[in-house]
């Protein structure tokens, strides 16, 4: 649009102008209300303007915005303590984004081998369809041609194997492997879940070969699947994990978590960030955890997920010419479309419902974790109407 002529044209923007948000709702400048099941792509985990998050940010804004990591930042230590207590991890490094959390994960893995006398272990093995971010290293990790094209030589040391193929993974792991990096549930790749058995086999494979297991839970973590982190469903733990999106609830930050051993190469001077872990971000992160760790919160996510899954299954049955299948887990759901997913998203917007596109012709539904059963049913009836509008059976 001409209004955006002064911006990089990297986004084809939808002509909607939202002015404010309230829980699962976004409100345009002219007062139209949209049910937001895109959630800024799994970011607004607690909905828009959650009172506890707003209060935490306001209070911090009046006290102190920024400090360099040259100083102690008590709220950063507190959040790291809480995250490490709640997970496999012993150490945390805070970043501003998901891609930076992945950069830290990759550096941590290579550095671990370096300090252990294995300079040759630099390769990171990833899975086809992956998305790990848009920096030069993370587009190499993601391996998608559309994101690599025209940006010069692909960063070396990234190898990719087909999705869900353990034999290919076994063949790829070798003497120069530093880490295997996977999303337990691929988000941008089309809501594709790695089977629990695959993750368990992967853990064993890494252990047998002295290779680190790094997980990208930027999208599927932070309660999204109904457990604190998605890998918990498989009963495994990684050595390193990148987290972002939902952890900030809309305040931009991420974190790389690691075991004491995996992080052992990251000593003073090896890595740094100006903004990562700044007091504003940490105030919001602690507030997100307050809600996330409340008794019964994850149970709520699982309950509402069931409402979605039943409703989506019914829609898939009713409109077989529009919906091919329903995918996903928790509140990370995908509608694989028979019509182009872009058309389905337009039909949803006509019902004042927002979703997000994904690869493999999927529409992603990533509602806030605070979505109520009633709001889920409201969204499902809008989805039904969107599918009906596209179905030849009813149009
Ligand atoms: C969004 C995303 C990233 C990148 O996060 P940014 O904050 O955009 O840098 C990395 N990995 C996964 C799985 C993601 O969904």
């Amino acid at each position: 649009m001409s209004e955006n002529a002064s911006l990089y044209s990297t986004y084809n923007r939808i002509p909607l102008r939202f002015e404010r948000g309230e829980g699962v709702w976004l409100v345009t400048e002219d007062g139209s209300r949209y049910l937001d099941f895109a959630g800024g792509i799994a970011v607004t985990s607690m909905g828009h303007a959650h009172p506890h998050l707003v209060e935490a940010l306001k209070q911090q804004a009046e006290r102190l915005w920024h400090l360099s990591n040259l100083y102690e930042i008590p709220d950063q230590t507190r959040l790291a303590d809480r995250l490490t207590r709640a997970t496999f991890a012993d150490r945390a490094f805070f970043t501003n984004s998901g891609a930076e959390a992945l950069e830290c994960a990759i550096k941590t893995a290579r550095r671990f081998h370096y300090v252990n006398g294995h300079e040759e272990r630099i390769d990171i093995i990833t899975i086809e369809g992956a998305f790990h971010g848009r920096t030069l290293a993370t587009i190499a990790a993601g391996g998608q041609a559309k994101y690599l094209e025209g940006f010069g030589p692909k960063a070396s040391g990234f190898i990719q194997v087909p999705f869900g193929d353990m034999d290919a993974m076994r063949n790829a792991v070798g003497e120069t492997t530093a880490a295997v990096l996977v999303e337990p549930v691929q988000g941008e790749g089309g809501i594709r879940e790695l089977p629990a058995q695959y993750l368990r086999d992967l853990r064993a494979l890494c252990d047998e070969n002295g290779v680190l297991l790094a997980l990208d839970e930027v999208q599927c973590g932070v309660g999204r699947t109904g457990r604190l982190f998605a890998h918990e469903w498989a009963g495994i733990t990684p050595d390193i994990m990148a987290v972002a999106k939902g952890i900030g609830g809309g305040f931009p930050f991420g974190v790389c978590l690691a075991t004491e051993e995996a992080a052992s190469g990251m000593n003073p001077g090896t890595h740094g960030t100006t903004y990562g872990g700044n007091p504003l971000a940490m105030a919001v992160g602690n507030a997100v955890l307050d809600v996330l760790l409340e008794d019964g919160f994850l149970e709520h996510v699982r309950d509402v997920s069931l409402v979605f899954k039943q409703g989506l299954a019914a829609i898939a049955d009713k409109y077989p010419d529009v919906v091919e299948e329903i995918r996903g887990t928790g509140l990370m759901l995908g509608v694989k479309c028979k019509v182009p997913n872009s058309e389905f998203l337009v039909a949803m917007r006509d019902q004042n419902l927002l979703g997000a596109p994904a690869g493999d012709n999927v529409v992603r539904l990533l509602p806030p974790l605070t979505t109520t059963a009633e709001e889920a049913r409201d969204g499902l009836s809008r989805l039904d109407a969107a599918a009906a509008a596209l179905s030849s059976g009813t149009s």
Side-chain angles (χ1 to χ4, degrees), residues 25-39:
W25 297 96
L26 276 172
V27 186
T28 62
E29 287 172 350
D30 53 17
S32 303
R33 293 167 69 83
Y34 285 74
L35 198 48
D36 183 13
F37 284 180

Side-chain angles (χ1 to χ4, degrees), residues 97-100 102 131-133 183 216 218-219 244-245:
S97 67
E100 283 172 286
L102 266 306
F131 182 77
H132 298 300
E183 296 156 85
D216 180 347
V218 168
Q219 190 163 153
K245 293 202 165 104

Side-chain angles (χ1 to χ4, degrees), residues 119-309:
E119 269 177 71
E120 74 285 0
R121 286 196 180 267
I122 58 150
D123 292 332
I124 311 291
I125 303 175
T126 64
I127 292 185
E128 286 173 10
F131 182 77
H132 298 300
R134 299 294 203 115
T135 61
L136 289 167
T138 56
I139 56 176
Q144 299 200 37
K146 63 180 174 181
Y147 297 145
L148 285 158
E149 189 186 342
F151 294 118
K154 181 181 155 194
S156 56
F158 294 93
I159 294 168
Q160 222 166 30
V161 297
F163 185 93
D165 184 340
M166 187 46 65
D167 288 336
M169 183 62 85
R170 268 197 198 95
N171 289 333
V173 168
E175 301 283 287
T176 60
T177 309
V180 172
L181 168 64
V182 304
E183 296 156 85
V185 188
Q186 284 190 350
E188 139 119 22
I191 311 292
R192 298 200 298 170
E193 211 179 334
L194 281 172
Q197 191 55 47
Y198 182 96
L199 287 173
R200 289 193 280 267
D201 291 346
L202 193 56
R203 178 69 271 181
L205 179 68
C206 288
D207 290 342
E208 285 156 22
N209 290 277
V211 164
L212 297 176
L213 176 61
L215 297 180
D216 180 347
E217 293 224 17
V218 168
Q219 190 163 153
C220 64
V222 195
R224 184 54 53 191
T225 66
R227 301 287 291 265
L228 200 49
F229 289 97
H231 65 265
E232 293 172 22
W233 290 109
I236 59 143
T237 58
D239 302 296
I240 304 172
M241 179 168 70
V243 177
K245 293 202 165 104
I247 189 88
F251 198 96
F253 89 91
V255 59
C256 179
L257 295 168
T259 63
E260 186 71 37
E261 195 187 4
S264 60
M266 301 301 277
N267 28 42
T270 52
H271 197 42
T273 168
T274 297
Y275 292 118
N278 111 341
L280 289 172
M282 297 300 96
V284 178
N286 275 303
V288 167
L289 275 206
D290 291 341
V291 182
L292 190 67
L293 299 178
E294 258 171 34
D295 269 352
F297 186 82
L298 294 173
E299 199 178 355
H300 163 81
V301 173
R302 295 193 289 268
D303 288 347
V304 175
S305 172
L306 272 181
V307 175
F308 271 106
K309 284 197 155 179

